[in-house]
Amino acid sequence: KALHAAGITTFVALAAATEEQIRAAIQAAGMRFAPSVPTWPSQAAFAAKGDLDGLKAYQQTLTAGRKS
């Protein structure tokens, strides 16, 4: 809901969003920061391309959604 309220409504839009834009959307919604935010655009880029195998492989390199 926070991302939608900020106009980030597709994987393409999320892939193009900056970390600052995502953090601002979360903060504007009164939500707490998610430590995995820096990887959201990269994950969304895989999803936007329909590359679910690439997304899964990328996610397997992450720890709790974050780069190690």
Side-chain angles (χ1 to χ4, degrees):
K1 289 183 180 184
L3 296 177
H4 276 243
I8 302 171
T9 59
T10 65
F11 287 128
V12 171
L14 181 55
T18 65
E19 184 177 341
E20 292 76 23
Q21 290 170 317
I22 298 168
R23 288 179 191 258
I26 292 169
Q27 185 176 21
M31 299 172 70
R32 294 184 341 175
F33 170 69
S36 61
V37 164
T39 67
W40 291 6
S42 296
Q43 292 184 66
F46 283 107
K49 292 185 236 174
D51 184 1
L52 300 183
D53 290 333
L55 174 59
K56 185 176 179 179
Y58 178 67
Q59 289 173 333
Q60 290 175 344
T61 70
L62 306 175
T63 302
R66 296 175 284 180
K67 291 183 182 178
S68 319

